[in-house]
Amino acid sequence: MSDPFSFQLRQVSKRFVKGKETITIFDGLDLDIPAGDFVAIMGPSGSGKTTLLNLLGGIDHVTSGEILFDDRRVDTLTENQLSAWRAANVGFIFQFYNLMPVLTAAQNVELPLLLTNLGRKERRTNVATALELVGLSDRAAHYPREMSGGQQQRVAIARAIVSDPQVLLCDEPTGDLDRSTADEVLGILKLLNQEHGKTVVVVTHDPEVTRHTRRTLHLNKGVFEEKTALA
Amino acid sequence: MNQALLVAKNLSRRKLRTSLMLVAIFIAFFLYGALECFNRAFHSSENSGAAERLVTVNRINFTMPLPVNYAGRVRQVEGVTSVSYQSWFGGYYQDQRQPLFMFAVDPVSYLEVYSGIQLPAEQRRAWLTNRSAVAVGKTTAAKYGWKVGDRVPIASNIYLRKDGAKAWEFDIAAIFSDPDDTAREGLIMMSHDYFDETVTFGRDQVNMLVFSTVSPKRNDEIAKAVDALFANSEAETSTDTAAAFNRAFVAQLGNIALIITLVVATAFAAILMIVGNTMVMAVRERTREIGVLKTLGFRGSTILSQILAESLLLALLGAVLGLGAATLAVAAAGKFIQGFGSNMNMTAGVFLGGVGWALLLGLVTGAVPAWSGMRLQIATALGRR
Ligand SMILES: Nc1ncnc2c1ncn2[C@@H]1O[C@H](COP(=O)(O)OP(=O)(O)OP(=O)(O)O)[C@@H](O)[C@H]1O
Ligand SMILES: [Mg+2]
């Protein structure tokens, strides 16, 4: 019996057409991400890291090839099917947090739950649990502008995990944070991977990140050079 | 939290901008509400009865009197069925600031000509037999809390009493309604005989004759015959349908209907552009947030509804405030020009019409941003900073 996979990419190509110009980012890329993996993706700027995350998360489309999640094709889903799939399976964490400035921390975390059929009480319990997990229970009523970058990023993590998705896709989650705050955030991601079994994919420029991950993929000119991180 | 809260929060994130849009919408709907009520009050006097009746006034203008004996001569004209006459009394109750729309009339013929007036038989009898009694329209009666049997003092700012007393004491003999011509329900009528007996001047003179004919089709011909009768006399006449007279009376105001339409249309065009443009900018500012919502799994159609809900909420809020203010303003104005203005009321029709326009405004101003929000590509939205 083979390992269960979160993601399998089969001969994925991605091109951007701008006027007469065609930019090829990936050409026949293969990638397996087993369930429960914690993988760092590094590479020079413009190598396609964000594009890869977008493809995995179904917010951008492959030009050709297949993407499977839990052995099911996701590249063939319609927009509305993808929305539902994302809501159920994927949490996103961005470099600049991307919280709603008009909502409090708790309300931001609650957003994904509005798409579920959970009642108010259950939603409140889940929000409290998620905020507790990132250590921000006392900040529930604060607005993003009242919080530090590290705190905002922890709220963003709480929002990404509140509906208990299998996968976390993180695009330079520590890119805007100082060393110790970055380590805190990475600690939370590590906890989510080890204690909660989440599959975590982290795009980063920060070599320190690789000390926490199970493995690191180096993306260069659309191709992976795999190196396993030292424990 | 729910999506309604998100919509409300988005709307209130820029308080000044939202307030300015609300003010713009408020003004447009205040204008719409007030002017539309004004407009309707005028046109309500052009009802069917008024088209059938003829009115004769002094040819110089309607404030100049006619001899009361003209009534008898008009009655002789072929095709005329009933003739009545009336004089403007200039009455007020207690205080000049409470003017009454009061006429001295010949009660018997008045009720014949204005056959739409409804009053109980015993009240009719009481009014016809008691010369010092008045018949009061139900709006005016309600306004002052008058009941049949009350005795009320009414003074005139035109006429003086022979006996030197300041006010006339009138018994209220009847309270009438006129469902087909509710403007009439603001009037109050005294007996012309009693008027003649008690005033120091103005006896045997009337402001206008009002009469009915066998058929509206013959009105032109009959009007000519009446005016011919008094040609070259000391008081020449001008006869027209009551509707035409009412229109002439508000002639200076008549073109207002057109101006009203233009003002309201201009105001709407202006807010359509202001609010539409502001909504586009407001949503464009949130491009990234919309991208995030979609990333979280919100559908395009949900984003579309959120933005439309926002623009609808804005339009409805401004409109209801504006229409509410118009309701108060119109009620105040209606009190001031009671009588002809007794139809100056916010009607459900005008109010709901305004709400309808607000829905349209909300949909139109929200359409472009809502559509682009729905179509927005997540990767593009997140790429922008
Ligand atoms: N919508 C688009 N249209 C055209 N080209 C695009 C588009 N999105 C990305 N690209 C191009 O694809 C390439 C990869 O972009 P991507 O954002 O994935 O790089 P990255 O590895 O995340 O870089 P960085 O480390 O700077 O974030 C870049 O050359 C970029 O210009
Ligand atoms: Mg990137």
Side-chain angles (χ1 to χ4, degrees):
Chain A
M1 203 177 110
S2 63
D3 285 344
F5 286 106
S6 275
F7 286 109
Q8 292 171 280
L9 274 66
R10 298 274 170 270
Q11 289 297 303
V12 165
S13 296
K14 178 64 182 172
R15 296 184 188 89
F16 290 111
V17 182
K18 259 234 165 105
K20 284 180 204 151
E21 232 177 309
T22 300
I23 310 165
T24 301
I25 312 294
F26 304 118
D27 193 9
L29 187 75
D30 288 318
L31 173 65
D32 289 345
I33 300 177
D37 201 358
F38 190 4
V39 54
I41 297 176
M42 300 190 72
S45 189
S47 57
K49 304 184 294 296
T50 297
T51 304
L52 177 65
L53 276 194
N54 288 349
L55 293 177
L56 291 175
I59 60 180
D60 203 349
H61 301 278
V62 299
T63 308
S64 65
E66 298 176 0
I67 299 181
L68 290 90
F69 178 81
D70 278 350
D71 291 330
R72 276 194 296 273
R73 292 278 293 269
V74 291
D75 58 289
T76 51
L77 299 180
T78 64
E79 283 305 327
N80 283 341
Q81 289 170 331
L82 276 174
S83 294
W85 173 77
R86 268 199 307 276
N89 298 296
V90 190
F92 282 88
I93 295 157
F94 306 95
Q95 178 176 0
F96 297 108
Y97 332 127
N98 284 342
L99 299 175
M100 300 282 151
V102 291
L103 300 182
T104 63
Q107 288 167 339
N108 266 288
V109 175
E110 193 180 350
L111 268 180
L113 298 181
L114 298 183
L115 298 166
T116 66
N117 41 26
L118 294 181
R120 264 165 58 119
K121 257 202 199 117
E122 283 171 295
R123 295 206 304 260
R124 206 172 300 163
T125 316
N126 290 12
V127 168
T129 309
L131 280 173
E132 198 182 312
L133 203 144
V134 297
L136 281 180
S137 298
D138 54 336
R139 292 293 180 146
H142 287 231
Y143 285 91
R145 63 172 179 277
E146 300 164 345
M147 289 183 279
S148 70
Q151 288 165 338
Q152 288 186 58
Q153 192 62 300
R154 277 144 67 191
V155 174
I157 294 174
R159 180 178 67 185
I161 60 173
V162 73
S163 48
D164 200 25
Q166 169 57 37
V167 179
L168 292 178
L169 301 177
C170 319
D171 198 351
E172 303 190 27
T174 59
D176 208 40
L177 303 176
D178 64 37
R179 185 70 265 147
S180 70
T181 316
D183 286 339
E184 266 173 46
V185 165
L186 287 168
I188 294 170
L189 293 179
K190 193 167 182 176
L191 177 88
L192 288 168
N193 172 252
Q194 289 180 350
E195 305 291 320
H196 300 267
K198 305 289 179 205
T199 309
V200 183
V201 182
V202 187
V203 162
T204 187
H205 282 294
D206 177 7
E208 288 289 308
V209 172
T210 59
R211 297 197 307 129
H212 298 269
T213 57
R214 289 174 197 237
R215 59 179 181 137
T216 302
L217 298 173
H218 288 268
L219 194 56
N220 204 357
K221 294 179 181 138
V223 188
F224 286 120
E225 308 150 5
E226 186 161 351
K227 293 173 193 166
T228 308
L230 304 167
Chain B
M1 194 187 56
N2 51 39
Q3 293 204 41
L5 181 73
L6 184 59
V7 168
K9 288 223 172 196
N10 276 331
L11 194 56
S12 60
R13 71 167 64 197
R14 299 260 177 132
K15 303 248 174 356
L16 179 64
R17 180 168 70 191
T18 304
S19 309
L20 289 176
M21 285 198 288
L22 271 179
V23 169
I25 298 169
F26 171 90
I27 291 172
F29 280 88
F30 176 77
L31 281 176
Y32 160 84
L35 298 181
E36 190 65 22
C37 287
F38 206 53
N39 205 7
R40 292 212 178 180
F42 287 145
H43 289 287
S44 70
S45 59
E46 294 176 23
N47 52 42
S48 55
E52 285 156 18
R53 283 188 294 272
L54 288 173
V55 169
T56 300
V57 294
N58 191 301
R59 199 169 153 190
I60 299 167
N61 69 42
F62 70 87
T63 65
M64 300 294 285
L66 295 172
V68 71
N69 66 24
Y70 276 23
R73 293 172 67 188
V74 169
R75 206 170 283 125
Q76 306 300 316
V77 174
E78 209 279 307
V80 173
T81 50
S82 304
V83 182
S84 191
Y85 48 85
Q86 59 188 51
S87 295
W88 173 248
F89 185 62
Y92 61 89
Y93 176 54
Q94 290 172 337
D95 187 314
Q96 299 254 17
R97 280 171 300 184
Q98 297 190 53
L100 298 167
F101 275 71
M102 180 160 177
F103 293 94
V105 306
D106 174 49
V108 175
S109 58
Y110 192 83
L111 292 175
E112 276 171 27
V113 172
Y114 293 103
S115 51
I117 290 179
Q118 295 179 358
L119 70 174
E122 70 275 16
Q123 291 186 19
R124 169 191 288 257
R125 217 173 304 121
W127 186 40
L128 298 184
T129 52
N130 178 355
R131 289 143 68 83
S132 67
V134 288
V136 184
K138 70 172 190 185
T139 339
T140 299
K143 179 175 174 184
Y144 295 112
W146 293 344
K147 294 180 298 297
V148 170
D150 287 356
R151 172 168 278 237
V152 293
I154 292 175
S156 166
N157 53 30
I158 304 172
Y159 299 104
L160 297 172
R161 280 184 69 115
K162 262 194 261 184
D163 61 11
K166 196 164 166 347
W168 278 255
E169 294 280 335
F170 290 106
D171 294 315
I172 296 177
I175 291 175
F176 64 87
S177 63
D178 190 344
D180 294 335
D181 185 4
T182 51
R184 195 156 301 284
E185 294 172 348
L187 307 189
I188 163 166
M189 254 69 73
M190 68 183 286
S191 144
H192 213 283
D193 287 348
Y194 187 59
F195 171 84
D196 283 344
E197 263 171 41
T198 49
V199 291
T200 54
F201 67 92
R203 301 178 56 179
D204 299 327
Q205 289 184 331
V206 298
N207 283 129
M208 66 171 78
L209 306 176
V210 190
F211 54 97
S212 49
T213 63
V214 286
S215 158
K217 284 193 205 114
R218 292 188 53 199
N219 278 358
D220 278 349
E221 166 211 334
I222 293 169
K224 282 206 189 81
V226 167
D227 289 342
L229 197 58
F230 303 112
N232 301 317
S233 72
E234 96 262 32
E236 295 197 328
T237 60
S238 163
T239 301
D240 214 331
T241 62
F245 175 76
N246 286 347
R247 257 199 307 275
F249 181 72
V250 294
Q252 305 103 306
L253 307 166
N255 273 339
I256 284 181
L258 178 66
I259 296 169
I260 285 170
T261 313
L262 287 176
V263 167
V264 171
T266 311
F268 270 79
I271 56 162
L272 198 67
M273 286 185 277
I274 293 170
V275 176
N277 183 50
T278 312
M279 278 301 295
V280 168
M281 292 198 310
V283 171
R284 187 173 298 161
E285 277 174 15
R286 302 208 299 262
T287 296
R288 195 172 181 82
E289 291 174 33
I290 292 170
V292 171
L293 286 177
K294 288 190 165 185
T295 306
L296 295 178
F298 284 80
R299 289 176 168 209
S301 54
T302 309
I303 304 291
L304 176 103
S305 347
Q306 282 179 359
I307 296 172
L308 280 182
E310 192 176 329
S311 62
L312 281 169
L313 183 64
L314 180 74
L316 282 175
L317 203 60
V320 168
L321 290 176
L323 291 168
T327 306
L328 297 180
V330 164
K335 230 170 240 164
F336 190 67
I337 52 165
Q338 203 224 354
F340 272 99
S342 69
N343 269 5
M344 280 287 278
N345 272 317
M346 178 57 77
T347 63
V350 171
F351 200 98
L352 292 178
V355 170
W357 284 111
L359 290 175
L360 190 67
L361 177 78
L363 287 177
V364 171
T365 53
V368 171
W371 180 257
S372 46
M374 180 177 84
R375 301 296 305 272
L376 189 65
Q377 296 293 314
I378 301 174
T380 317
L382 293 178
R384 261 193 230 172
R385 262 195 81 81

